[in-house]
Structures are given as C-alpha cells and as structure tokens.
Amino acid sequence: MTFTFLILAVIILGSALAAALRPNLIHCALLLVVSWLGVAGFYLWAGAEFVAFAQVLVYVGALSMVVLFAVLLTRQSRAELRVDAPETRRAVWAVIAGVAVSGVIGAAVFATKWDPAPVTAPEVTVRGLGLELMGAHAAALLLLGVLLTAALLGAVVLAAPDRPEKEEKS
Amino acid sequence: MIAAALTTDSFLERLPVLARDTVTGRLPESWRWMAGSLLEIIAILAGFGLLFAYLTLAERKILGRIQNRPGPNRTGWFGLLQPFADGVKALTKEDVVPAGADRVLHFLAPVVLVAVSLLGFAVLPFGRHLVAVELDTAVLYFFAAGTATELAVFMAGWASHNKYSLLAAMRALAQLISYELPLLLSVVPVVLVAGTLSTTKIVAAQGGWSLGFVPHWHVFTPWGAAGFVLFMVAALAESNRSPFDLPEAESELIAGHLTEYSGFKYALFFMAEYFGMCALSGMAVTLFLGGWGAPLAQLEWIPSYAWFTAKLLVLLLGFIWIRATLPRLRLDQLMKFAWKFLVPLTLLNLANAAGWSLTAGWTGPLQLVRWAVALALVAVPFVVLGRTLSAGSAPRTYRFA
Amino acid sequence: MNATPLANPSSGAHVRSVPGDLPGDLMEVSMGPHHPSTHGVFRMIVTLDGETIVRLKPVFGYLHRNHEKLAENTSYLGSMPYTDRLDYLNSMTNNWAYARAVEQLAGIAVPERAEYVRVILAELTRLLNHTCLAGFLMQDCGCSGTPLMYAFREREKILDLFESLSGSRMMCNYQRFGGCRVDPSAAWLAAAQQLVDGYGPFLDEFEALLTGNEILLARTQGVGRLSAALAINAGVTGPMLRATGVNYDLRKVDGYGVYPRFQFRIPLGEHGDVYDRYMIRILEMRESLAILRQALAGLPAGPIMNPAAKLRGFRPKAGEAYGRIEGPKGEIGFHLVSDGGPNPWRYHVRAPSFINLTILEDLCLGHTVADAVIILGSIDIVLGEVDR
Amino acid sequence: MLGSGILQGLLVTAKNFVGSFHDPARYTTLEYPEVKPALPEAYRNFPFLVCDNATDPLGTLRCVACQICEKECPPQCIYIEKSRDKKPDATGKPQIYPAVFAIDTSVCMSCQICVEVCPFDAIKMDQVFEVATTDRYAALLLDRGQLTKPNTYFHTIHPTEAAEVDARLAADRQAAEEKARVAALAKAKAPAAPQAPAAPVAKRDQTPESAP
C-alpha cells in the first residue's frame, strides 16, 4: 500500500513545486490543479470516496476556474505573465517566512500522539455520512452555507458594472 | 455480482457476464480481477466508440431527412461506411499547430477532454449485471468527472493563441459553470427519494409496476417529470448542443475554441462531445427512466441491456431532433435562462420531491390531493417564471397601409 | 497605451495585440471577408469591449466588377445581361428597372400584356428573395440549415419557372426595351398558377416553425432598432424602411406599370428591429401572392413586345432618365445619360443594398457579436449589388 | 405558455422528417450522375453554328460572316475571319463564309444576344452543360469545326423554335423563287423588248438591317 502512497506524495509535492517555479502563470494554475487531483487520489487511497469526489467536484471543477479567471482578468497581455528575476532581498524574506511556517507545522506534528493506524478503515456509507453531517455538524454546515452566500453576494456586487453612467440601453 | 440472481435470469441476460468469466477463467486467480475490468473497459470503449461513429452518421442522416434530402448515402451501402471515411479523413488531414500556440496545452486539451468524458461511463448500469464499477457514491463520481471538461475547454481556447478561441473559451466556461448548477440540482431529488448515491440501487428503486402497466420510473411522478425535463435541458447546455451551442457558434466565432485545431485533434473534440452526450443521456436513463428496467412485466424476457440501449437511443435522437430545429441563444439570454429560470425551478422541484417522499404514506383520496399538490408545485412556478422570462417578447400584430 | 507589439520569445512572431488608439481592455476583431455569415465577400472590423460592440467599420469592394464604366462601352442591349449580375438573386427586377429607365429615355411604349408579365415576374422574384432572406436569417440565428433548406426548396420551384421561360435560372436576361423577349406559354402560366396556390401552405408551415419560436423572439426582438428619422435621412428604402413604420412603397407612390389595377396592402412595423424586418417580409410575401393571383387572372392577350422597338442600332436621343422600381431589397433605379450614341454616356445604378448597408454601425452599437451577425442578415445585402 | 412555439417548430420538423419518406414534394434531391436533370426546352448554354445537313457541314453552313454577333456580343468572346472566296448557300447564291469562327467559352456567359441579333438564324443556343475539361485555354476556345452542328440536332434540343425557324426559312426561299420565276417570266415574255437591264439579283428577303 505504501507504494501508491509514495506515488501520490510525489505527484502532489512535485506538481506543487513545479507550480511554484514555472514562469508561465497559466501553467502554474494548471499544475496546481494537478496537485489537487493528487490530493483527491490520496483520499481515494485512504478509502474516503465521498471526500475524494467532493474534492474533485469542488476544486478541479469550480475552484480551478476561479483561479484561471483571476489570472486572465488581472493580466493585460501575455508579456506581463513573466515573474521577475530573483533578488537576494526577497529571497531572505522568503526563507524567514518558510522557517516560521514550518516551525508552526512541526510543533503541531510532534505535539500530537499518533496512535497506530486502525486495522480496518471504519465502514462508512453515504447515508451514515449524511446523518452525521445533518446531526452533529449541522451548525457547521449552515455556517458554511451562510459564508458561501456572502461570498456570492460579494462577487455580484463586485461584478456589477462599476461605471453607473453606462446605463442599460433600452 | 450477486451469484444467486445469475442463475434465475435468461441465458441472454447472463451472456455478457458468462463471456467475461470464461475468458478470465483461464488466468490465475490474482490476475482475474485485472483482466475482468480490462475486458469491461474494452467493451465500453468499443461499444460507445461504435455508437459515436454511427451517431455522427445518424445525425447527418436525420438532419438530412428533416431538410428533405437523403444525407450521406454514397460511401458504402446507404452511407454506412461514412463514419470510417470521416475517421480516415481526420487521420490523414495535416495537424496544424499555430505558431504562437502553447504547444503543450494545445496537445493536452483534446486528450484531457476525451479522457474525462470517458470516465463517466464507469458507473452507468448498462444491464442487470453490467456495471463496470459498483460505487457507493456513483452519482457524485459521475458529476465530478463531468466538471473537468471545463478545464480542457479552457486549455483549448487559451492555447490556440487566437482572438476567436479566447472569446469562445470565456463563453464556454461561463456556460458550463452556470449550467452545472441546474444539472446537479435536478439530480438531487432522485437521490433524496431513492435514498442512495449508487446508480444500481437507484435503478433497483425504480423496479416493479403498479396497476399492472405503470412502471415505478421516476419520470412518471410529477417531480420526476419536471426533474427529467430540467436535467435534459441542462444536459443540452452541458454538452454544448443545439440551442446552447454558443462556444462553437459557427455563424459568429467560426469554430470557437476549435478554430485552431485540425486533423485528428479536431475529430477528438467531436468524439468527446458525443461521449459527453451519451454519458449524460445514460445518466438520465438511469435516474429517471428506470435504467435497464423493462416498461412492461410481460416484456421482461428482452435482455436488460437492450432496454438501456433503446432508451439511450431515444434520448440521443431527441438531441438530434432539437439540433435540427432550434436557433441559438445569445450569451446573456443563456445566463438569464440558467440563473433566473432553471435554478429556481430545480430548487422548487427539490422541495416538491421532499414533499412527495414525506407524503408517501397517504392512501385513497389523500393520494389525489398528493398528486394535485405535486402537479401544482410543478406547473405554477413554470408558468409564472415563464411569463417573467419572456416578458418583452411576444409575436406582434402589424398594421397595413 | 501605445501599440506595444507583442514580442513572443518562443516564435519571434510579432503580433499586434491592441491597435494604438484603443483604451486598454478593447479588442479588435476582423469578421470577414472569409466569414461564414457575411453573405459574400464583406468585412466588418469590430472593436469589442468584452462582448459588446464599441465600433464597427464595414469594408466592402471585394466584388467590384466595374459595372458602370463597362456599361459606358457597351450598347444599351449589351448591358442588359450584365444587370442580371447586379443583385444576382433577383435578375428579373434588375432587368425591369433597367428596361424602364431606357424606355423613359427613348420614350418607348410597352404593350399591356408585357406590363402584366413584368408584374408577375417581379412578384415571383419578391417571393424568392424574401423566402431566401428568412432562410439566411435563421441560419445566422443558429438553426442548422433547416429553414434555409425549406426556403431553397420553394426557391427552386420559382427558378424552374424562370428557366422554362427565359432559358436560365438566375441570369434571365429576359426583358427588352418595349416588352419581353419570350411570350409565356399557356403551360407556363398554369405552372405559375400552381406554384402560387402551393405557396400559401408553405408560408403557413414556415411561420409555424419560426414566428412563434421563443428563442427566436428573444434573439431578434429589440435588436438592431432603426428609428424612422435615421432611416429617412440615410435614404434607406424597402422592407427596412417600412419596418420602422414609414409608409413608402414605390408600387403605391409611383404606381408604375399596372400596379394601380391590383388591390394589395403595405405592411408597416413600429419598432424597426430585426423581428419587424423579418415579419414585414413574411407579410409582404402574402401580399405578393394576392397580386400574383390577380395578375394571372387578368393577363390580357396581345403582343409581348412593342413592334416599333429596334433591337440593334438603337440610338436614343440625347437626354437623361431615371427609371426606378420597388425591388425586393428596396428602390432599385438606373440613371442613364445619353449623348445620342449607341452607348450610354453615363450609367449609374442606385443599389438599395449599398445604401441600406451604410447604417450598419448605427444599428450594431451596443449589441454583441452575435447580434451584429443577425442585424447584417436582416439588412438583406447582396454583395454583387453593393460593390457593382 | 413558454415553449409552445418551440414545440410547434419541433412538430414541423417531425412532419418534414416523416414526409421525406413518402411525400415526393418533401424529398427534392436529384441524384445527379445517375439521374440526369430534365432540362426545359428553353434552357440555353453556349451557342453553336447551324448547318443544314450533317454530311457537308462547311458547305451548308448558314453563317455568312456578317460579324453582327461579333460586334453585339457584350463580353466580346466571338472571333470571325471572313473567307476570301465564296460558296453557294441554300438558295444557290454565292456567299462569303467564315474562314475562322471561334468562341471563347471561358468568356461567353450564354446570354443569347448573338442569337437575337443574327439575321440569318445561323447561331443558336445549345443545351450542353457537362463541359469540364482538363486544359484551361485551348480546350475552352471552340473553333468552327467544334461549333458546327446539324439542323437535325437543333430540332432535338429546341423543337418548337427549330420548327418555326425552318418554316420561316422555307417561306423566304419560296418567296425568293417566286420572285426569281416572275423575273424570268417577264424576261422571257418580252424577248423583243430592248435588252432588259441585267437580271435583278434575287434579293434575299432578310437583308441585314441598314448599317448604323
């Protein structure tokens, strides 16, 4: 089993790394999508089908479009898609940020007690998941719904024609 | 496969499973599962590949007959070799890649599109024992695979480095995203009533007949009929077919995001479109038309996969019929139709289905009340929303001087 | 932002991304001359802000064949076959307009039977042209050729009539100065009557397919709105003008030929948008059917050609004349100046398509690319007439 | 109700689909190579020179190289060279004949003005439309030999017009003989009269119209 785990890890990390380094932003966005697919594969490997397909549906379906639209709409022409050449000053700040983040994650990892993996993954059916979601975590689900509607309304306000004088031609 | 059911069914019914078992029987135990699924993949590819080939021919023949002309009848007997002629033509045509194009993405777009549109077939139950992958979350898997097509369309549009392709890629994305919502929402009532995401269980839930001749298909319930129509309209938009074929609107943007493709890549795009159409129709048959169920008890002896194919072909002919008749919507009307008409209707349909499953216990006169309420919940919003949608446009009367 | 030529390192090809004088987010798209829906070799340089059109520059002249200069070096009779090639869909009406101009120039009388035959052929051409237009307009809207094929099926029947009369389907070269070349036989008249009787049901089926179609209503109503004032100032004539509500039809205004003897009505629109232009043409077809029935019934006997008219060595006295008729696309007129020689001194064609096309930009501003295609389709241009 | 127009449209296409199988009016395709089109009699495409009988095409050629059609042809696609010697025509009178008569079919637009202006009914419109050739220049320039076709062929393609032309020509020939006989009679009746002026030339009835 660990062999597939290794492949998945290589895919996720490799594509994420490539996304960071590629000069062409569109390629970065698409490599990011590949890493999301890797994460979905990871969920499948772990036996959580529902989460894996939800991940594909949400991330690869919708979120990738948001990222690509953002990249397209903020860039005027392909020439400016280049990333500037590395300078030492920015490299230093990057290292500091990296160390800080890895420190926090490292602390969290070592602090938790990893009990040995259970022999068989718990038998989870969609019905069980649904009842669980609607039962114990109903509050979290509704909160998420409110958050998403707020985001939707924000998008509508942003996208509304900001030049009010361009009134709709009858 | 439920071994018990195997023995009771007719020989024809068990034929495909028997064929597979005899072939994999010779292999050692550990290889058997791999060989079996390989055979299923080959069967699906061959079956739907041929269906794609003859669907293109059927489309041109039916379009021709509707337009009072014969359609292709020169290649082979009655034009039956036309698809293979088209295939050879597509293979031999030069594959031009524009100078400014992003070569990697330009090549990847059709490959990803075809791969993704094929994924959907894994969970469709073609017959009583003919489902490639028995997934508990089959419906979610099907639509998760479907959403990746947008990515491929964007890659095609962007990589061609051509004004028309970029415009069309933007149009295609806007359309695909906004029609995914009604597509998914029209499926949720079925999951709600059937109580499961697995396609085989959904088909099983539609088994049996009441009053002797009315099958328990979802389409014969008010919310099911509305859901079926909404699903088909959204499927039309999702597979870029007739009234919604904006991305490759030939009268405006030449061939949309396909402008810079030629040769076999161009043919791949069409193959992907037809596979998408077949997959969505297959899902519609599974969810609403009782999958491989026979319409009448007496017709049970016909094998189940024959029923599935028959229903699939009826839906595909509907696609072609609509393509021959309807003009194209403009982009903003397309969006208005999706957000202001389809989404509210699907949400109401969801409420309707919830009400329907809650009142399942009612009997006698209450049954009539149940049907009346359900039908009202379908008809009234349709008429109200329809009137607001087509507010300004009505056939006019003219004065004469 | 000045015009930054886009240096694409991989291919080295310099692609002009945005012309100089356009603000940042506009995109210039050239539609044509090889474009599936420009009805011939015609180009529109469209400047787009997203999907809406900000500027539209029509470019034509690709089909210029020097028709008017050619006519100055050809005899009056020699130019008649060239008039078929002006608006190559309606050769009969082109011939009639040219014949009227020469008859006015030389003062040749036309026998009554010839006038009736000319009315019958002109109305058949109007049916043909409006049916074709409806077919092409639906093709631009997106129906994959179905209405176009029905339109062409009916058009073939009319072209068969023209072929059995004049010898050629589209290049009829049928009218002469002072009458027509061939006298229609009884069999031909019976076939014409049969066509007229069969055309009503076809129009009903055509309207059932299209006029109530919600998608079509949404696509065409309110699109490409033309105001009556702009139409009159721009010199627009024909169904486009009547769609804006202006009651101007040469058949009633001039009352040329034997039109005053027939009862027919002129449909008028109010909004002047693409839907009105489509519906006006459908209603005009029904009126043409009424005229055809009356003309076929009242066709008198008698000579088809004025015997006094000379075929060769025709030298009209010096002077000028302007003959015009209500063609399917609008007022088609010929202005001839003669200096007494066998060839016209000056020969000018007033082409309705060309003049109706000048307001394309005013109609398209603010609409999307898809609308521009339909607006162009509804103007009903034929490039042979636009470029001459 | 939204969608009623669309349903109506779908019904129309369905009617046409079913109709195309049984109703000939709704199935208009003509499978060309196998089924030849039925051309109406008035159909015209590219002119041809008429000769009275097939055995001696040059001898009985009606054309007298008057070059009226060459002048009147709008695209100027006819080229004629007069012959130096003369040959007797149908009525026995020596007439000039065209040594060279060529039509460039790549220029000719089949407008049949040459047929209208020809006073001798020497050029008529053919009905040939399968004229594809591999050679772009020489094969499209038809010379006198390729253009000449017998009157019998003319009868097969334009029966009514051919009959009417033959009747007119016969009447003219008859009138010419009548005049010749009367002149001969008058000459024979008065031999004693002073020598009659030279026998009047039998004028053909259809002399070319007065020169412009």
Side-chain angles (χ1 to χ4, degrees):
Chain A
M1 274 309 271
T2 56
F3 178 65
T4 50
F5 178 77
L6 276 180
I7 295 175
L8 284 173
V10 164
I11 291 176
I12 297 173
L13 295 180
S15 55
L17 197 63
L21 299 177
R22 282 288 298 174
N24 184 334
L25 258 182
I26 296 289
H27 286 186
C28 299
L30 292 174
L31 283 166
L32 196 58
V33 169
V34 170
S35 70
W36 286 335
L37 276 174
V39 170
F42 174 74
Y43 287 140
L44 266 181
W45 169 77
E49 286 163 2
F50 188 83
V51 180
F53 297 137
Q55 156 91 352
V56 170
L57 190 69
V58 170
Y59 277 84
V60 174
L63 216 62
S64 60
M65 287 304 122
V66 169
V67 167
L68 286 169
F69 266 54
V71 163
L72 278 183
L73 294 182
T74 50
R75 285 290 177 270
Q76 288 315 313
S77 70
R78 292 164 70 98
E80 288 157 26
L81 288 181
R82 294 288 169 278
V83 178
D84 301 342
E87 296 154 6
T88 52
R89 195 169 57 75
R90 277 194 292 110
V92 165
W93 278 109
V95 165
I96 293 169
V99 164
V101 167
S102 50
V104 165
I105 296 177
V109 164
F110 293 118
T112 55
K113 300 188 298 310
W114 299 100
D115 54 3
V119 174
T120 59
E123 183 47 44
V124 171
T125 67
V126 172
R127 173 178 288 278
L129 264 177
L131 295 174
E132 189 67 32
L133 265 177
M134 278 302 153
H137 304 284
L141 203 64
L142 292 178
L143 205 63
L144 211 60
V146 166
L147 175 71
L148 285 179
T149 4
L152 197 64
L153 292 178
V156 167
V157 164
L158 269 179
D162 42 16
R163 290 185 290 276
E165 81 285 354
K166 201 175 90 163
E167 89 293 349
E168 189 53 38
K169 237 178 177 353
S170 68
Chain B
M1 295 304 142
I2 309 128
L6 262 182
T7 51
T8 56
D9 296 337
S10 67
F11 170 71
L12 266 179
E13 190 69 58
R14 290 181 279 110
L15 184 63
V17 181
L18 273 178
R20 190 199 57 173
D21 290 348
T22 48
V23 167
T24 55
R26 265 183 226 84
L27 292 168
E29 181 54 35
S30 61
W31 287 90
R32 198 154 290 165
W33 178 76
M34 180 71 75
S37 52
L38 202 62
L39 269 179
E40 278 155 20
I41 292 170
I42 291 170
I44 289 180
L45 271 183
F48 279 94
L50 255 160
L51 180 64
F52 154 66
Y54 281 99
L55 206 56
T56 53
L57 178 65
E59 174 139 32
R60 290 172 62 181
K61 276 273 203 210
I62 293 169
L63 225 62
R65 277 293 170 177
I66 283 180
Q67 294 168 0
N68 304 332
R69 54 185 173 81
N73 57 2
R74 294 276 164 178
T75 47
W77 201 55
F78 283 113
L80 287 178
L81 296 183
Q82 186 67 32
F84 308 109
D86 292 347
V88 166
K89 179 193 75 174
L91 277 169
T92 49
K93 277 269 175 74
E94 184 209 354
D95 183 6
V96 175
V97 178
D102 186 330
R103 311 192 73 75
V104 173
L105 286 188
H106 192 262
F107 171 75
L108 264 182
V111 170
V112 165
L113 196 59
V114 171
V116 158
S117 59
L118 269 174
L119 288 180
F121 292 116
V123 286
L124 289 182
F126 304 116
R128 203 178 297 283
H129 317 297
L130 292 178
V131 60
V133 176
E134 185 87 30
L135 264 180
D136 195 18
T137 57
V139 172
L140 187 63
Y141 161 82
F142 180 85
F143 289 110
T147 56
T149 50
E150 299 154 11
L151 210 58
V153 164
F154 171 81
M155 278 158 62
W158 168 262
S160 307
H161 189 250
N162 159 335
K163 275 187 196 132
Y164 286 137
S165 307
L166 194 60
L167 254 179
M170 287 303 143
R171 276 186 181 191
L173 290 183
Q175 174 183 338
L176 290 176
I177 292 172
S178 49
Y179 274 89
E180 211 168 302
L181 205 58
L183 192 72
L184 290 178
L185 278 175
S186 61
V187 168
V188 170
V190 174
V191 172
L192 183 134
V193 168
T196 163
L197 273 172
S198 144
T199 43
T200 42
K201 290 198 184 71
I202 288 176
V203 168
Q206 297 176 61
W209 295 269
S210 57
L211 308 173
F213 60 93
V214 176
H216 290 160
W217 295 350
H218 288 144
V219 81
F220 292 127
T221 60
W223 63 270
F228 176 65
V229 169
L230 292 170
F231 183 86
M232 289 316 286
V233 169
L236 263 175
E238 199 66 25
S239 53
N240 289 346
R241 286 290 298 187
S242 170
F244 309 97
D245 58 351
L246 247 62
E248 80 265 353
E250 60 281 353
S251 58
E252 292 116 28
L253 294 172
I254 319 238
H257 53 278
L258 310 180
T259 320
E260 293 301 340
Y261 281 89
S262 58
F264 198 61
K265 283 190 200 155
Y266 191 75
L268 275 184
F269 271 104
F270 276 93
M271 183 186 285
E273 182 192 323
Y274 279 93
F275 279 152
M277 207 166 82
C278 294
L280 281 168
S281 308
M283 185 49 88
V285 165
T286 312
L287 295 175
F288 295 99
L289 297 178
W292 38 261
L296 288 172
Q298 299 79 355
L299 296 174
E300 270 288 295
W301 54 274
I302 300 174
S304 55
Y305 44 81
W307 285 115
F308 182 86
T309 344
K311 292 176 197 166
L312 186 69
L313 288 182
V314 165
L315 284 185
L316 293 176
L317 296 189
F319 271 77
I320 296 172
W321 185 13
I322 287 173
R323 174 168 182 229
T325 318
L326 298 184
R328 187 177 300 122
L329 274 172
R330 208 178 43 214
L331 187 62
D332 53 324
Q333 291 157 349
L334 191 83
M335 293 304 143
K336 197 169 85 169
F337 182 68
W339 292 102
K340 290 185 181 164
F341 186 72
L342 283 186
V343 169
L345 272 185
T346 40
L347 287 173
L348 277 169
N349 194 26
L350 181 55
N352 195 353
W356 181 265
S357 61
L358 280 179
T359 59
W362 294 6
T363 54
L366 281 179
Q367 195 78 356
L368 286 178
V369 168
R370 179 184 184 217
W371 270 82
V373 166
L375 282 173
L377 257 176
V378 168
V380 167
F382 175 74
V383 171
V384 167
L385 281 173
R387 194 159 296 126
T388 52
L389 188 70
S390 62
S393 61
R396 297 175 182 153
T397 55
Y398 289 85
R399 59 186 172 89
F400 289 84
Chain C
M1 186 181 98
N2 52 24
T4 54
L6 176 82
N8 190 323
S10 62
S11 71
H14 284 273
V15 174
R16 270 175 64 87
S17 68
V18 173
D21 56 358
L22 290 177
D25 56 1
L26 294 186
M27 184 164 83
E28 188 181 81
V29 172
S30 154
M31 288 169 68
H34 295 292
H35 192 278
S37 66
T38 48
H39 299 269
V41 249
F42 169 72
R43 182 176 177 211
M44 297 191 284
I45 301 177
V46 183
T47 311
L48 292 175
D49 169 11
E51 274 279 332
T52 54
I53 294 172
V54 170
R55 192 148 43 93
L56 182 141
K57 181 170 178 302
V59 176
F60 37 76
Y62 293 95
L63 203 54
H64 178 60
R65 294 156 297 181
N66 208 359
H67 174 72
E68 295 179 357
K69 189 63 184 173
L70 216 65
E72 286 168 15
N73 304 323
T74 323
S75 70
Y76 283 91
L77 175 66
S79 287
M80 181 58 89
Y82 286 140
T83 55
D84 298 335
R85 271 96 180 155
L86 272 174
D87 173 355
Y88 40 76
L89 278 176
N90 317 324
S91 66
M92 286 294 187
T93 40
N94 302 344
N95 290 358
W96 188 6
Y98 179 54
R100 264 181 65 76
V102 175
E103 279 151 16
Q104 256 166 5
L105 185 68
I108 306 168
V110 180
E112 211 176 274
R113 183 176 174 86
E115 284 293 359
Y116 267 76
V117 168
R118 282 180 172 176
V119 164
I120 292 170
L121 294 174
E123 292 311 321
L124 280 176
T125 317
R126 202 181 310 280
L127 285 183
L128 173 104
N129 179 70
H130 290 344
T131 316
C132 273
L133 169 90
F136 287 128
L137 191 58
M138 295 315 129
Q139 178 81 357
D140 292 347
C141 283
C143 309
S144 55
T146 312
L148 188 60
M149 281 303 149
Y150 297 158
F152 270 31
R153 178 189 68 200
E154 294 310 311
R155 174 172 177 255
E156 281 311 315
K157 292 177 189 160
I158 300 177
L159 291 184
D160 289 347
L161 279 180
F162 286 167
E163 185 172 43
S164 56
L165 181 66
S166 69
S168 166
R169 292 169 64 245
M170 289 167 68
M171 300 299 148
C172 303
N173 183 15
Y174 174 69
Q175 321 246 351
R176 290 293 175 266
F177 317 132
C180 300
R181 178 163 55 86
V182 177
D183 194 345
S185 64
W188 189 87
L189 292 170
Q193 185 63 46
Q194 200 192 354
L195 178 114
V196 167
D197 300 341
Y199 221 83
F202 158 70
L203 276 183
D204 302 340
E205 187 187 292
F206 204 70
E207 283 211 66
L209 175 65
L210 296 173
T211 309
N213 192 321
E214 280 80 4
I215 299 178
L216 191 70
L217 294 180
R219 274 297 293 273
T220 52
Q221 289 196 341
V223 168
R225 197 181 290 274
L226 173 61
S227 66
L230 173 64
I232 293 170
N233 295 341
V236 167
T237 54
M240 267 186 80
L241 182 65
R242 290 191 286 278
T244 58
V246 176
N247 177 8
Y248 180 77
D249 184 325
L250 288 183
R251 294 176 293 181
K252 294 278 187 186
V253 169
D254 281 3
Y256 58 91
V258 284
Y259 274 110
R261 299 188 192 167
F262 305 125
Q263 279 78 34
F264 60 98
R265 306 172 304 175
I266 307 295
L268 297 173
E270 306 107 49
H271 311 281
D273 54 12
V274 172
Y275 186 78
D276 266 5
R277 289 196 276 273
Y278 158 75
M279 274 312 291
I280 292 291
R281 288 182 169 107
I282 297 281
L283 294 171
E284 263 185 22
M285 276 202 269
R286 292 190 187 278
E287 294 309 316
S288 296
L289 283 178
I291 298 174
L292 274 168
R293 275 188 216 96
Q294 295 168 48
L296 280 170
L299 184 66
I304 193 72
M305 183 70 179
N306 178 344
K310 285 170 63 175
L311 203 58
R312 290 182 53 253
F314 171 69
R315 289 165 166 273
K317 57 190 181 321
E320 61 179 292
Y322 178 67
R324 62 179 185 174
I325 66 164
E326 178 66 33
K329 292 184 171 55
E331 173 192 330
I332 174 162
F334 283 79
H335 176 239
L336 301 173
V337 176
S338 155
D339 62 353
N343 302 347
W345 185 76
R346 174 73 174 103
Y347 167 106
H348 170 69
V349 182
R350 189 235 187 245
S353 300
F354 174 69
I355 292 169
N356 295 353
L357 194 58
T358 49
I359 51 164
L360 180 62
E361 178 169 33
D362 306 283
L363 298 181
C364 287
L365 286 188
H367 290 287
T368 65
V369 174
D371 293 336
V373 168
I374 295 178
I375 293 167
L376 178 67
S378 70
I379 297 178
D380 187 9
I381 59 165
V382 164
L383 265 303
E385 195 174 45
V386 169
D387 298 343
R388 290 188 294 281
Chain D
M1 196 270 288
L2 186 74
S4 57
I6 291 174
L7 290 179
Q8 226 179 9
L10 286 169
L11 280 182
V12 168
T13 38
K15 189 150 66 88
N16 271 293
F17 178 76
V18 171
S20 73
F21 287 101
H22 58 80
D23 179 359
R26 293 192 191 281
Y27 186 79
T28 52
T29 306
L30 184 114
E31 309 261 357
Y32 166 62
E34 287 83 15
V35 177
K36 287 282 190 268
L39 298 174
E41 192 207 326
Y43 175 68
R44 52 180 159 87
N45 205 17
F46 295 127
F48 74 98
L49 291 173
V50 185
C51 61
D52 283 335
N53 58 47
T55 52
D56 172 12
L58 178 59
T60 59
L61 197 64
R62 286 186 188 161
C63 174
V64 291
C66 64
Q67 292 181 316
I68 287 176
C69 56
E70 187 177 13
K71 281 193 280 297
E72 284 297 326
C73 172
Q76 303 289 319
C77 68
I78 300 178
Y79 172 72
I80 300 174
E81 268 177 24
K82 292 195 175 199
S83 65
R84 254 176 265 333
D85 60 344
K86 293 197 176 179
K87 70 165 177 60
D89 69 356
T91 61
K93 200 165 87 49
Q95 285 278 22
I96 297 173
Y97 61 91
V100 172
F101 192 109
I103 291 183
D104 184 349
T105 50
S106 66
V107 171
C108 170
M109 56 181 180
S110 310
C111 65
Q112 64 84 38
I113 280 193
C114 51
V115 172
E116 260 183 279
V117 297
C118 173
F120 299 95
D121 294 305
I123 189 166
K124 290 300 174 190
M125 291 310 278
D126 205 340
Q127 292 195 341
V128 58
F129 59 92
E130 284 142 334
V131 286
T133 62
T134 50
D135 172 10
R136 293 179 62 184
Y137 303 103
L140 293 180
L141 189 65
L142 303 183
D143 61 10
R144 192 184 60 197
Q146 289 163 307
L147 284 172
T148 312
K149 291 182 178 157
N151 194 12
T152 49
Y153 171 75
F154 182 39
H155 273 279
T156 55
I157 50 173
H158 296 296
T160 45
E161 192 188 349
E164 188 242 343
V165 164
D166 281 0
R168 192 154 28 89
L169 287 182
D172 295 348
R173 199 168 303 123
Q174 228 231 330
E177 270 138 24
E178 178 61 27
K179 192 178 280 101
R181 205 161 40 70
V182 161
L185 204 66
K187 195 156 60 59
K189 197 156 53 61
Q195 185 54 30
V201 173
K203 273 180 52 58
R204 285 192 54 76
D205 196 3
Q206 265 177 331
T207 54
E209 261 133 31
S210 57

